[in-house]
Amino acid sequence: GAATMATVPEVEIDADGTFKYILVRLQRPGGEERQDIVRGTKAAEFHNHIFEKVNPEMEKLGFECKCLGGGKIEHNSKDKKIRVFGLSTGYGKADHSVTVEILKKVYTDYEITWSDDKK
C-alpha cells in the first residue's frame, strides 16, 4: 500500500557543519493531508540538487512535493546547537521559524535559533 506521511522522516540533515537546506511540503494529490519536511546536506552544491533527490523519492511514495524555500543550516552536534539562516537564490527564503519548529521535534535537547543573516 501507499506510505503514510508519518513514515516520512521530518528531518534529514547532515550531522555536522554548515550546508544548504530546503523546506519541502508534501501533499497527497487531491488530498488534504500535508506535511512539511526539512532536508539539507553538504553534498548539495545548489538547493535544487536537494530537491532533485527528494522529489523522485517522494513521488515513488505517492506524494507531490513543493519546495517552500531554502536557506542554510549550521549544525554543531558537539555543542548541540543549530542555526538556520540565509536563503536560496532559486527557491527564495524558507520560513526559518517553521524550519526551527520542525527541527525542535527531532533535536529536542538542542538550542535552535534562526535569523535572516546571509552568513
Side-chain angles (χ1 to χ4, degrees):
T4 61
M5 277 195 189
T7 61
V8 178
E10 283 184 84
V11 178
E12 280 182 3
I13 60 171
D14 286 3
D16 241 335
T18 302
F19 44 84
K20 293 184 166 67
Y21 94 88
I22 56 173
L23 187 60
V24 177
R25 173 156 293 164
L26 302 183
Q27 214 165 345
R28 272 264 185 253
E32 286 300 298
E33 199 193 0
R34 57 174 55 169
Q35 181 172 312
D36 294 347
I37 61 172
V38 175
R39 294 290 182 269
T41 175
K42 281 193 280 255
E45 193 186 342
F46 300 106
H47 286 91
N48 61 307
H49 291 171
I50 308 172
F51 190 72
E52 282 160 15
K53 190 177 170 292
V54 175
N55 198 32
E57 287 174 6
M58 295 305 148
E59 280 182 344
K60 249 186 241 147
L61 300 174
F63 302 120
E64 284 174 347
C65 282
K66 182 182 164 201
C67 186
L68 302 178
K72 285 186 171 169
I73 286 176
E74 182 181 44
H75 188 174
N76 182 335
S77 54
K78 187 169 67 77
D79 295 342
K80 294 194 186 249
K81 281 183 182 173
I82 294 177
R83 186 168 74 98
V84 185
F85 63 101
L87 52 83
S88 160
T89 320
Y91 295 119
K93 186 175 80 71
D95 186 339
H96 296 327
S97 63
V98 171
T99 303
V100 165
E101 288 312 308
I102 297 170
L103 289 169
K104 278 179 178 168
K105 294 184 198 175
V106 178
Y107 295 95
T108 49
D109 56 347
Y110 267 60
E111 183 192 317
I112 305 175
T113 57
W114 71 272
S115 76
D116 287 328
D117 296 347
K118 297 280 187 287
K119 44 164 76 78

